[in-house]
């Protein structure tokens, strides 16, 4: 299973590129929005890749960041959203805009994409809203707030523990975020959970 390609850009089409990696040319489907970021022919290129194996073909879908790849893989879990539609969404809307639309319940934004009707847009929002909100929250936690990747993982585990105890995800997330204001707790899942529970039970 191919997960990453590093090589030279050999060709570029309307919605695909060919990457020469070790003398082998890999045809990779990409969002239209990625084309503007491609180097000139012959220059180095790196892509995160989702590999789809079918009975009649092996297809590769490439993205500039791991986050873009993960977004694509989330989208194609939705009934009625295949790779073509997912690439269409990511061609029309930037990954951050897709994540914001889903987390805020803005199905209308997704309907701007050709091939995405009202029912499909609503299904995407309904099925991915919690996952996307969590994904965006963790991204914020590991960015300008000074959280390391390990701290982000601790926060994620703490939220899941609170959800397992029966708290709504949004409420659990808010309590864990409040608990994590204490820097000493940020990498300690158990301590985060205990502090978050105190917050939840004193409201």
């Amino acid at each position: 299973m191919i997960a990453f390609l590093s090589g030279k850009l050999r060709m570029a089409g309307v919605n695909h590129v060919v990457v020469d990696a070790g003398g082998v040319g890999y045809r990779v489907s990409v969002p239209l929005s990625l084309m503007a970021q491609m180097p000139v022919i012959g220059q180095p290129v790196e892509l995160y890749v989702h590999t789809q194996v079918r009975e009649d073909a092996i297809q590769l879908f490439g993205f500039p960041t791991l986050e873009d790849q993960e977004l694509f893989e989330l989208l194609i879990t939705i009934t009625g959203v295949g790779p073509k539609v997912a690439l269409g969404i990511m061609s029309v809307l930037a990954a951050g805009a897709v994540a914001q639309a889903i987390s805020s319940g803005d199905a209308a934004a997704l309907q701007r994409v050709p091939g995405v009707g009202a029912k499909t847009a609503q299904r995407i929002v309904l099925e991915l809203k919690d996952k996307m909100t969590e994904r965006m929250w963790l991204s914020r936690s590991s960015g300008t707030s000074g959280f390391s990747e390990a701290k982000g993982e601790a926060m994620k585990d703490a939220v899941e523990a609170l959800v397992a105890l029966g708290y709504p995800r949004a409420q659990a997330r808010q309590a864990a975020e409040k608990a994590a204001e204490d820097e000493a707790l940020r990498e300690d899942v158990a301590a985060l959970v205990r502090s978050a529970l105190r917050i939840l039970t004193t409201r």
Side-chain angles (χ1 to χ4, degrees), residues 23 25 62 66 135 161 168 181:
L66 184 59
R135 178 178 180 272
E181 290 178 1

Side-chain angles (χ1 to χ4, degrees), residues 44-123:
V45 62
E46 296 183 342
L47 293 173
Y48 290 92
V49 173
H50 172 81
T51 303
Q52 185 177 77
V53 180
R54 304 188 320 191
E55 291 184 2
D56 58 344
I58 297 176
Q59 292 183 289
L60 305 179
F61 301 90
F63 307 93
T65 69
L66 184 59
E67 289 75 17
D68 287 334
Q69 178 194 343
E70 291 174 346
L71 174 59
F72 174 83
E73 291 174 345
L74 280 175
L75 288 170
I76 62 176
T77 64
I78 305 302
T79 302
V81 180
K84 183 178 180 179
V85 172
L87 282 183
I89 292 172
M90 298 180 70
S91 294
V92 174
L93 300 171
V98 176
Q100 180 62 40
I102 294 173
S103 64
S104 64
D106 186 6
L110 299 175
Q111 289 179 243
R112 290 163 43 196
V113 179
V116 178
K119 289 184 178 179
T120 299
Q122 290 166 4
R123 189 180 302 119

Side-chain angles (χ1 to χ4, degrees), residues 23-36:
V24 178
Y26 295 88
R27 181 185 171 107
V28 187
S29 297
V30 296
L32 291 175
S33 56
L34 176 57
M35 300 308 297

